Amino acid sequence: MTATVAIEKAKLLRKESAGALPPVPSLVKEGPRLFRELEEFVREKWVELPPEGQEVLKGLAYRLIEPPKDLLTRLKAIPVSLQLAWAAMKGQITLQDLAEFSQAALDFARAVLDRVEGENPAFRERVSQALQEALEGKTSPLTLDELRSAILDD
């Protein structure tokens, strides 16, 4: 896949997620393949993308993981939700189809966010510093309470 094709696919998915009403069953069935292709492209050829293309992919990724913030966006989701329910009732899509769509979309978003974090100099410095401290033995093991807190987010 070329950078131009990746950008066009991302723009199409972004447009569809912005409220344009695509045929929901086909989007749910085709979406996972598109997201997997975009994820692979991001992982392998991110640096080849022009800044505009990276911004398009970032915008789509953030749109996928952030809940709608304004009333208009929430209202636009109602017809799509109704289409999803209708398609499921008619047997055009299954729970498995929805799960595959969701997983592929989140995997794509995760790939983009990994690239964004990797480009952040402060993040890279922090990771490098933590690794250096660990290699020099300057860190101490977590206590059971610290581990529990980190895992459970208490």
Short mmCIF file of all heavy atoms in Angstrom, two decimals, residues 38-92:
data_model
loop_
_atom_site.label_atom_id
_atom_site.label_comp_id
_atom_site.label_asym_id
_atom_site.label_seq_id
_atom_site.Cartn_x
_atom_site.Cartn_y
_atom_site.Cartn_z
N LEU A 38 -4.26 -0.56 7.28
CA LEU A 38 -3.72 0.71 7.77
C LEU A 38 -2.76 0.50 8.93
O LEU A 38 -1.73 1.17 9.03
CB LEU A 38 -4.86 1.65 8.19
CG LEU A 38 -5.65 2.28 7.05
CD1 LEU A 38 -6.87 3.01 7.59
CD2 LEU A 38 -4.77 3.23 6.25
N GLU A 39 -3.10 -0.43 9.82
CA GLU A 39 -2.20 -0.73 10.95
C GLU A 39 -0.85 -1.22 10.43
O GLU A 39 0.21 -0.77 10.89
CB GLU A 39 -2.82 -1.80 11.84
CG GLU A 39 -1.90 -2.21 12.97
CD GLU A 39 -2.37 -3.45 13.72
OE1 GLU A 39 -3.41 -4.03 13.36
OE2 GLU A 39 -1.67 -3.84 14.65
N GLU A 40 -0.87 -2.13 9.48
CA GLU A 40 0.38 -2.64 8.91
C GLU A 40 1.18 -1.50 8.26
O GLU A 40 2.40 -1.40 8.42
CB GLU A 40 0.07 -3.72 7.87
CG GLU A 40 1.30 -4.34 7.26
CD GLU A 40 0.95 -5.42 6.25
OE1 GLU A 40 -0.14 -6.01 6.33
OE2 GLU A 40 1.79 -5.66 5.36
N PHE A 41 0.48 -0.63 7.56
CA PHE A 41 1.14 0.49 6.91
C PHE A 41 1.80 1.39 7.96
O PHE A 41 2.94 1.82 7.79
CB PHE A 41 0.14 1.29 6.07
CG PHE A 41 0.79 2.40 5.31
CD1 PHE A 41 1.38 2.17 4.08
CD2 PHE A 41 0.83 3.67 5.83
CE1 PHE A 41 2.01 3.18 3.38
CE2 PHE A 41 1.46 4.70 5.15
CZ PHE A 41 2.04 4.46 3.92
N VAL A 42 1.06 1.68 9.04
CA VAL A 42 1.60 2.54 10.09
C VAL A 42 2.84 1.92 10.71
O VAL A 42 3.85 2.59 10.92
CB VAL A 42 0.53 2.81 11.18
CG1 VAL A 42 1.13 3.39 12.44
CG2 VAL A 42 -0.56 3.73 10.63
N ARG A 43 2.79 0.63 10.96
CA ARG A 43 3.93 -0.04 11.60
C ARG A 43 5.16 -0.10 10.68
O ARG A 43 6.27 0.00 11.15
CB ARG A 43 3.54 -1.45 12.03
CG ARG A 43 2.53 -1.46 13.16
CD ARG A 43 2.40 -2.81 13.82
NE ARG A 43 1.33 -2.85 14.77
CZ ARG A 43 1.36 -2.31 15.99
NH1 ARG A 43 2.43 -1.67 16.39
NH2 ARG A 43 0.33 -2.40 16.81
N GLU A 44 4.93 -0.24 9.38
CA GLU A 44 6.05 -0.43 8.47
C GLU A 44 6.51 0.83 7.74
O GLU A 44 7.68 0.94 7.39
CB GLU A 44 5.69 -1.50 7.43
CG GLU A 44 5.49 -2.87 8.03
CD GLU A 44 5.04 -3.91 7.03
OE1 GLU A 44 4.92 -3.58 5.82
OE2 GLU A 44 4.78 -5.04 7.45
N LYS A 45 5.59 1.77 7.48
CA LYS A 45 5.96 2.89 6.60
C LYS A 45 5.56 4.26 7.14
O LYS A 45 5.38 5.20 6.38
CB LYS A 45 5.30 2.67 5.23
CG LYS A 45 5.75 1.39 4.56
CD LYS A 45 5.10 1.20 3.22
CE LYS A 45 5.57 -0.10 2.59
NZ LYS A 45 4.95 -0.33 1.31
N TRP A 46 5.44 4.38 8.44
CA TRP A 46 5.02 5.65 9.05
C TRP A 46 5.94 6.80 8.64
O TRP A 46 5.47 7.89 8.31
CB TRP A 46 5.01 5.50 10.57
CG TRP A 46 4.63 6.72 11.32
CD1 TRP A 46 5.47 7.59 11.95
CD2 TRP A 46 3.31 7.23 11.52
NE1 TRP A 46 4.76 8.60 12.54
CE2 TRP A 46 3.43 8.40 12.30
CE3 TRP A 46 2.05 6.82 11.13
CZ2 TRP A 46 2.34 9.15 12.70
CZ3 TRP A 46 0.95 7.57 11.53
CH2 TRP A 46 1.10 8.72 12.30
N VAL A 47 7.23 6.54 8.64
CA VAL A 47 8.19 7.61 8.33
C VAL A 47 8.09 8.07 6.88
O VAL A 47 8.52 9.18 6.57
CB VAL A 47 9.64 7.19 8.65
CG1 VAL A 47 9.83 6.99 10.14
CG2 VAL A 47 10.04 5.94 7.88
N GLU A 48 7.53 7.25 6.01
CA GLU A 48 7.38 7.64 4.61
C GLU A 48 6.18 8.56 4.38
O GLU A 48 6.08 9.17 3.32
CB GLU A 48 7.21 6.38 3.74
CG GLU A 48 8.41 5.47 3.73
CD GLU A 48 8.17 4.18 2.98
OE1 GLU A 48 7.24 4.12 2.15
OE2 GLU A 48 8.93 3.23 3.21
N LEU A 49 5.31 8.64 5.36
CA LEU A 49 4.12 9.48 5.22
C LEU A 49 4.47 10.94 5.37
O LEU A 49 5.23 11.32 6.26
CB LEU A 49 3.10 9.13 6.30
CG LEU A 49 2.13 8.02 6.03
CD1 LEU A 49 1.30 7.73 7.27
CD2 LEU A 49 1.22 8.34 4.87
N PRO A 50 3.90 11.78 4.51
CA PRO A 50 4.09 13.22 4.73
C PRO A 50 3.34 13.64 6.00
O PRO A 50 2.43 12.93 6.45
CB PRO A 50 3.46 13.84 3.47
CG PRO A 50 2.52 12.82 2.95
CD PRO A 50 3.08 11.49 3.34
N PRO A 51 3.71 14.76 6.59
CA PRO A 51 3.04 15.21 7.82
C PRO A 51 1.52 15.26 7.69
O PRO A 51 0.80 14.93 8.64
CB PRO A 51 3.63 16.60 8.06
CG PRO A 51 4.97 16.55 7.40
CD PRO A 51 4.80 15.66 6.20
N GLU A 52 1.01 15.67 6.51
CA GLU A 52 -0.44 15.73 6.32
C GLU A 52 -1.05 14.33 6.48
O GLU A 52 -2.09 14.17 7.12
CB GLU A 52 -0.78 16.27 4.93
CG GLU A 52 -2.27 16.19 4.61
CD GLU A 52 -2.55 16.22 3.12
OE1 GLU A 52 -1.80 16.88 2.38
OE2 GLU A 52 -3.53 15.58 2.71
N GLY A 53 -0.41 13.34 5.92
CA GLY A 53 -0.91 11.97 6.03
C GLY A 53 -0.86 11.46 7.45
O GLY A 53 -1.78 10.78 7.92
N GLN A 54 0.21 11.79 8.17
CA GLN A 54 0.30 11.40 9.57
C GLN A 54 -0.81 12.04 10.39
O GLN A 54 -1.41 11.39 11.25
CB GLN A 54 1.67 11.77 10.14
CG GLN A 54 2.80 10.93 9.58
CD GLN A 54 4.15 11.30 10.15
OE1 GLN A 54 4.28 12.19 10.99
NE2 GLN A 54 5.18 10.61 9.69
N GLU A 55 -1.11 13.29 10.08
CA GLU A 55 -2.19 13.98 10.80
C GLU A 55 -3.56 13.33 10.53
O GLU A 55 -4.39 13.23 11.42
CB GLU A 55 -2.22 15.47 10.44
CG GLU A 55 -1.07 16.26 11.04
CD GLU A 55 -0.97 16.13 12.55
OE1 GLU A 55 -2.00 16.24 13.25
OE2 GLU A 55 0.15 15.90 13.04
N VAL A 56 -3.78 12.91 9.28
CA VAL A 56 -5.03 12.24 8.95
C VAL A 56 -5.17 10.96 9.76
O VAL A 56 -6.22 10.68 10.35
CB VAL A 56 -5.12 11.94 7.43
CG1 VAL A 56 -6.27 11.00 7.11
CG2 VAL A 56 -5.27 13.23 6.65
N LEU A 57 -4.10 10.17 9.81
CA LEU A 57 -4.13 8.92 10.56
C LEU A 57 -4.26 9.17 12.07
O LEU A 57 -5.00 8.45 12.76
CB LEU A 57 -2.90 8.07 10.25
CG LEU A 57 -2.82 7.55 8.82
CD1 LEU A 57 -1.51 6.81 8.59
CD2 LEU A 57 -4.00 6.67 8.47
N LYS A 58 -3.58 10.19 12.56
CA LYS A 58 -3.71 10.54 13.99
C LYS A 58 -5.14 10.94 14.30
O LYS A 58 -5.72 10.54 15.32
CB LYS A 58 -2.77 11.69 14.35
CG LYS A 58 -1.33 11.32 14.45
CD LYS A 58 -0.51 12.59 14.78
CE LYS A 58 0.94 12.42 14.51
NZ LYS A 58 1.71 13.68 14.75
N GLY A 59 -5.73 11.77 13.42
CA GLY A 59 -7.11 12.21 13.63
C GLY A 59 -8.07 11.03 13.68
O GLY A 59 -8.97 10.99 14.54
N LEU A 60 -7.91 10.08 12.78
CA LEU A 60 -8.76 8.91 12.78
C LEU A 60 -8.56 8.10 14.06
O LEU A 60 -9.52 7.66 14.69
CB LEU A 60 -8.50 8.04 11.54
CG LEU A 60 -9.29 6.74 11.46
CD1 LEU A 60 -10.80 7.00 11.47
CD2 LEU A 60 -8.89 5.97 10.20
N ALA A 61 -7.31 7.91 14.45
CA ALA A 61 -7.02 7.13 15.67
C ALA A 61 -7.66 7.78 16.89
O ALA A 61 -8.31 7.10 17.70
CB ALA A 61 -5.51 6.99 15.86
N TYR A 62 -7.50 9.09 17.03
CA TYR A 62 -8.08 9.77 18.19
C TYR A 62 -9.61 9.73 18.14
O TYR A 62 -10.27 9.57 19.18
CB TYR A 62 -7.60 11.22 18.28
CG TYR A 62 -6.18 11.33 18.76
CD1 TYR A 62 -5.22 11.99 18.01
CD2 TYR A 62 -5.79 10.77 19.96
CE1 TYR A 62 -3.91 12.09 18.45
CE2 TYR A 62 -4.48 10.86 20.41
CZ TYR A 62 -3.55 11.52 19.66
OH TYR A 62 -2.25 11.60 20.11
N ARG A 63 -10.17 9.82 16.97
CA ARG A 63 -11.62 9.76 16.83
C ARG A 63 -12.15 8.38 17.26
O ARG A 63 -13.25 8.27 17.79
CB ARG A 63 -12.01 10.05 15.39
CG ARG A 63 -13.46 10.17 15.20
CD ARG A 63 -13.79 10.61 13.79
NE ARG A 63 -14.85 11.57 13.94
CZ ARG A 63 -14.85 12.79 13.51
NH1 ARG A 63 -13.84 13.24 12.83
NH2 ARG A 63 -15.86 13.58 13.71
N LEU A 64 -11.36 7.35 17.04
CA LEU A 64 -11.76 6.00 17.40
C LEU A 64 -11.70 5.74 18.90
O LEU A 64 -12.48 4.95 19.42
CB LEU A 64 -10.87 4.97 16.68
CG LEU A 64 -11.07 4.85 15.18
CD1 LEU A 64 -9.94 4.03 14.56
CD2 LEU A 64 -12.43 4.23 14.86
N ILE A 65 -10.77 6.39 19.59
CA ILE A 65 -10.60 6.07 21.01
C ILE A 65 -11.24 7.08 21.95
O ILE A 65 -11.47 6.76 23.11
CB ILE A 65 -9.11 5.91 21.37
CG1 ILE A 65 -8.34 7.20 21.14
CG2 ILE A 65 -8.50 4.74 20.63
CD1 ILE A 65 -6.92 7.19 21.67
N GLU A 66 -11.52 8.27 21.46
CA GLU A 66 -12.11 9.29 22.34
C GLU A 66 -13.63 9.26 22.22
O GLU A 66 -14.17 9.21 21.12
CB GLU A 66 -11.61 10.68 21.96
CG GLU A 66 -10.15 10.89 22.25
CD GLU A 66 -9.66 12.26 21.82
OE1 GLU A 66 -10.39 13.01 21.14
OE2 GLU A 66 -8.51 12.58 22.16
N PRO A 67 -14.32 9.30 23.37
CA PRO A 67 -15.78 9.35 23.30
C PRO A 67 -16.24 10.68 22.72
O PRO A 67 -15.52 11.69 22.82
CB PRO A 67 -16.21 9.21 24.77
CG PRO A 67 -15.03 9.60 25.57
CD PRO A 67 -13.81 9.32 24.73
N PRO A 68 -17.41 10.70 22.10
CA PRO A 68 -17.91 11.97 21.55
C PRO A 68 -18.06 13.01 22.65
O PRO A 68 -18.55 12.70 23.73
CB PRO A 68 -19.27 11.61 20.94
CG PRO A 68 -19.51 10.18 21.24
CD PRO A 68 -18.33 9.61 21.93
N LYS A 69 -17.62 14.23 22.36
CA LYS A 69 -17.63 15.27 23.38
C LYS A 69 -18.81 16.22 23.27
O LYS A 69 -19.29 16.73 24.25
CB LYS A 69 -16.33 16.06 23.32
CG LYS A 69 -15.13 15.23 23.68
CD LYS A 69 -13.87 16.03 23.61
CE LYS A 69 -12.69 15.13 23.96
NZ LYS A 69 -11.43 15.76 23.76
N ASP A 70 -19.26 16.46 22.05
CA ASP A 70 -20.33 17.44 21.91
C ASP A 70 -21.65 16.77 21.55
O ASP A 70 -21.71 15.61 21.11
CB ASP A 70 -19.95 18.50 20.88
CG ASP A 70 -19.71 17.91 19.49
OD1 ASP A 70 -19.52 16.70 19.39
OD2 ASP A 70 -19.74 18.68 18.52
N LEU A 71 -22.72 17.50 21.75
CA LEU A 71 -24.06 16.98 21.52
C LEU A 71 -24.29 16.60 20.06
O LEU A 71 -24.89 15.56 19.77
CB LEU A 71 -25.10 18.02 21.97
CG LEU A 71 -26.56 17.61 21.82
CD1 LEU A 71 -26.86 16.38 22.66
CD2 LEU A 71 -27.47 18.76 22.20
N LEU A 72 -23.80 17.40 19.14
CA LEU A 72 -24.01 17.12 17.72
C LEU A 72 -23.42 15.77 17.32
O LEU A 72 -24.05 14.98 16.61
CB LEU A 72 -23.41 18.24 16.86
CG LEU A 72 -23.61 18.10 15.36
CD1 LEU A 72 -25.10 18.06 15.02
CD2 LEU A 72 -22.94 19.24 14.62
N THR A 73 -22.21 15.49 17.79
CA THR A 73 -21.57 14.21 17.48
C THR A 73 -22.37 13.06 18.07
O THR A 73 -22.53 12.01 17.44
CB THR A 73 -20.12 14.19 18.01
OG1 THR A 73 -19.43 15.32 17.51
CG2 THR A 73 -19.40 12.93 17.58
N ARG A 74 -22.86 13.24 19.27
CA ARG A 74 -23.69 12.19 19.90
C ARG A 74 -24.98 11.98 19.14
O ARG A 74 -25.44 10.85 18.96
CB ARG A 74 -23.97 12.55 21.35
CG ARG A 74 -22.75 12.47 22.21
CD ARG A 74 -23.05 12.84 23.63
NE ARG A 74 -21.80 12.83 24.39
CZ ARG A 74 -21.71 13.24 25.62
NH1 ARG A 74 -22.78 13.68 26.24
NH2 ARG A 74 -20.56 13.20 26.24
N LEU A 75 -25.57 13.07 18.67
CA LEU A 75 -26.82 12.94 17.90
C LEU A 75 -26.59 12.23 16.57
O LEU A 75 -27.42 11.46 16.11
CB LEU A 75 -27.45 14.32 17.68
CG LEU A 75 -28.02 15.00 18.92
CD1 LEU A 75 -28.49 16.40 18.58
CD2 LEU A 75 -29.17 14.18 19.51
N LYS A 76 -25.42 12.50 15.95
CA LYS A 76 -25.10 11.84 14.68
C LYS A 76 -24.92 10.33 14.86
O LYS A 76 -25.08 9.57 13.92
CB LYS A 76 -23.83 12.43 14.08
CG LYS A 76 -24.01 13.79 13.47
CD LYS A 76 -22.68 14.27 12.89
CE LYS A 76 -22.81 15.61 12.25
NZ LYS A 76 -21.51 16.06 11.68
N ALA A 77 -24.59 9.90 16.07
CA ALA A 77 -24.37 8.48 16.33
C ALA A 77 -25.69 7.71 16.41
O ALA A 77 -25.71 6.49 16.22
CB ALA A 77 -23.60 8.30 17.63
N ILE A 78 -26.79 8.39 16.64
CA ILE A 78 -28.08 7.69 16.80
C ILE A 78 -28.49 6.95 15.54
O ILE A 78 -28.81 5.75 15.61
CB ILE A 78 -29.17 8.68 17.28
CG1 ILE A 78 -28.85 9.14 18.71
CG2 ILE A 78 -30.56 8.02 17.22
CD1 ILE A 78 -29.72 10.26 19.22
N PRO A 79 -28.48 7.57 14.36
CA PRO A 79 -28.87 6.81 13.16
C PRO A 79 -27.94 5.61 12.88
O PRO A 79 -28.41 4.55 12.47
CB PRO A 79 -28.79 7.83 12.03
CG PRO A 79 -28.85 9.16 12.69
CD PRO A 79 -28.27 8.98 14.04
N VAL A 80 -26.66 5.78 13.15
CA VAL A 80 -25.73 4.67 12.93
C VAL A 80 -26.04 3.55 13.91
O VAL A 80 -26.03 2.37 13.54
CB VAL A 80 -24.26 5.15 13.07
CG1 VAL A 80 -23.29 3.98 13.00
CG2 VAL A 80 -23.94 6.17 12.00
N SER A 81 -26.34 3.91 15.15
CA SER A 81 -26.70 2.89 16.14
C SER A 81 -27.96 2.15 15.73
O SER A 81 -28.04 0.92 15.88
CB SER A 81 -26.91 3.54 17.51
OG SER A 81 -25.73 4.18 17.94
N LEU A 82 -28.92 2.88 15.21
CA LEU A 82 -30.16 2.24 14.76
C LEU A 82 -29.89 1.32 13.56
O LEU A 82 -30.45 0.23 13.47
CB LEU A 82 -31.20 3.29 14.40
CG LEU A 82 -31.75 4.10 15.58
CD1 LEU A 82 -32.65 5.23 15.09
CD2 LEU A 82 -32.49 3.20 16.55
N GLN A 83 -29.02 1.77 12.65
CA GLN A 83 -28.65 0.92 11.52
C GLN A 83 -27.96 -0.35 11.99
O GLN A 83 -28.21 -1.44 11.47
CB GLN A 83 -27.74 1.66 10.54
CG GLN A 83 -28.45 2.60 9.62
CD GLN A 83 -27.50 3.11 8.54
OE1 GLN A 83 -26.28 2.95 8.61
NE2 GLN A 83 -28.06 3.74 7.53
N LEU A 84 -27.08 -0.23 12.97
CA LEU A 84 -26.40 -1.40 13.52
C LEU A 84 -27.41 -2.37 14.13
O LEU A 84 -27.34 -3.58 13.88
CB LEU A 84 -25.39 -0.98 14.59
CG LEU A 84 -24.04 -0.48 14.12
CD1 LEU A 84 -23.25 0.10 15.29
CD2 LEU A 84 -23.26 -1.59 13.45
N ALA A 85 -28.32 -1.85 14.91
CA ALA A 85 -29.33 -2.70 15.54
C ALA A 85 -30.19 -3.39 14.47
O ALA A 85 -30.47 -4.59 14.57
CB ALA A 85 -30.20 -1.87 16.49
N TRP A 86 -30.60 -2.65 13.47
CA TRP A 86 -31.44 -3.21 12.40
C TRP A 86 -30.69 -4.30 11.63
O TRP A 86 -31.23 -5.37 11.35
CB TRP A 86 -31.92 -2.10 11.47
CG TRP A 86 -32.87 -2.57 10.42
CD1 TRP A 86 -32.63 -2.68 9.09
CD2 TRP A 86 -34.22 -3.01 10.61
NE1 TRP A 86 -33.73 -3.16 8.44
CE2 TRP A 86 -34.73 -3.37 9.35
CE3 TRP A 86 -35.05 -3.13 11.73
CZ2 TRP A 86 -36.02 -3.84 9.17
CZ3 TRP A 86 -36.34 -3.60 11.55
CH2 TRP A 86 -36.80 -3.95 10.28
N ALA A 87 -29.43 -4.02 11.31
CA ALA A 87 -28.62 -5.00 10.58
C ALA A 87 -28.42 -6.27 11.41
O ALA A 87 -28.45 -7.38 10.88
CB ALA A 87 -27.28 -4.40 10.19
N ALA A 88 -28.23 -6.10 12.72
CA ALA A 88 -28.07 -7.26 13.60
C ALA A 88 -29.37 -8.07 13.68
O ALA A 88 -29.35 -9.30 13.63
CB ALA A 88 -27.63 -6.81 14.98
N MET A 89 -30.49 -7.36 13.77
CA MET A 89 -31.79 -8.06 13.84
C MET A 89 -32.08 -8.83 12.55
O MET A 89 -32.67 -9.90 12.59
CB MET A 89 -32.92 -7.06 14.13
CG MET A 89 -32.90 -6.55 15.54
SD MET A 89 -34.28 -5.46 16.03
CE MET A 89 -34.94 -4.80 14.56
N LYS A 90 -31.64 -8.29 11.43
CA LYS A 90 -31.86 -8.96 10.14
C LYS A 90 -30.82 -10.04 9.87
O LYS A 90 -30.91 -10.74 8.86
CB LYS A 90 -31.84 -7.93 9.02
CG LYS A 90 -33.06 -7.00 9.04
CD LYS A 90 -32.97 -5.88 8.04
CE LYS A 90 -32.81 -6.36 6.63
NZ LYS A 90 -32.79 -5.26 5.64
N GLY A 91 -29.83 -10.17 10.75
CA GLY A 91 -28.80 -11.18 10.57
C GLY A 91 -27.72 -10.79 9.57
O GLY A 91 -26.94 -11.64 9.14
N GLN A 92 -27.66 -9.52 9.20
CA GLN A 92 -26.64 -9.06 8.24
C GLN A 92 -25.27 -8.94 8.89
O GLN A 92 -24.26 -9.03 8.21
CB GLN A 92 -27.05 -7.72 7.64
CG GLN A 92 -28.29 -7.81 6.79
CD GLN A 92 -28.76 -6.43 6.34
OE1 GLN A 92 -28.58 -5.44 7.06
NE2 GLN A 92 -29.35 -6.37 5.15
#
